Structures are given as C-alpha cells and as structure tokens.
Amino acid sequence: MGLEASAHPWLGAATALAEGEGHLFTGRLAPNGQPWLRDHAAFGTVLVPGTGILDLVLAAGRELGAGRVEELALVEPLVLEGPV
C-alpha cells in the first residue's frame, strides 16, 4: 500500500503523496497506548504536551532529511478524546 514503517513509537507509518505533493505520517496517540499521557490531564481531559508535538515534528522531519525546526507555534492544545 506504499506505507513504510517509522522509527518513532508514535508514528506508525509514512507514505509519499501522489505527484510529489508531500508526505503523510500516521500513528496513534492514546492514554491506553502511552499511559504517561494521563499525567497531562486537566479537568479530566488529556492534552498532548507541546514537547510531545515537537518530538513528532522532529521525527517527521528526520524521515524527510530535515535537521531542525526553526519555529513551531501551537494555536490550541491537542486534545485526546476518551477516558483518562
């Protein structure tokens, strides 16, 4: 199906989009799969910490040959649905 395994524990697979239009990275984030995420709950809602998002961006960048992230702005938190 064109998917390649990723070395990052959160990124399950990566694939190039048609006609060189970019890349798609997939994975699964859930308190059941990453229990430490429960430590980042506020009022019963799990929020992915900004450092975790930066780690995902860096991992995707490494897969594509990028060495660093110059700037990352988070407009709102990444909320995970489901029980805490």
Side-chain angles (χ1 to χ4, degrees):
M1 294 190 41
L3 296 175
E4 297 177 20
S6 172
H8 193 275
W10 293 2
L11 297 175
T15 189
L17 297 178
E19 299 181 26
E21 293 291 324
H23 292 78
L24 173 69
F25 293 87
T26 64
R28 180 180 169 103
L29 277 176
N32 292 341
Q34 292 86 19
W36 60 269
L37 283 169
R38 291 188 187 107
D39 296 337
H40 297 275
F43 303 105
T45 302
V46 177
L47 306 172
V48 178
T51 52
I53 295 171
L54 176 60
D55 189 53
L56 285 171
V57 170
L58 286 168
R62 279 191 298 271
E63 296 269 340
L64 300 175
R68 63 187 176 142
V69 173
E70 281 191 32
E71 185 175 337
L72 177 65
L74 303 175
V75 177
E76 56 187 69
L78 176 57
V79 177
L80 297 183
E81 300 293 327
V84 176

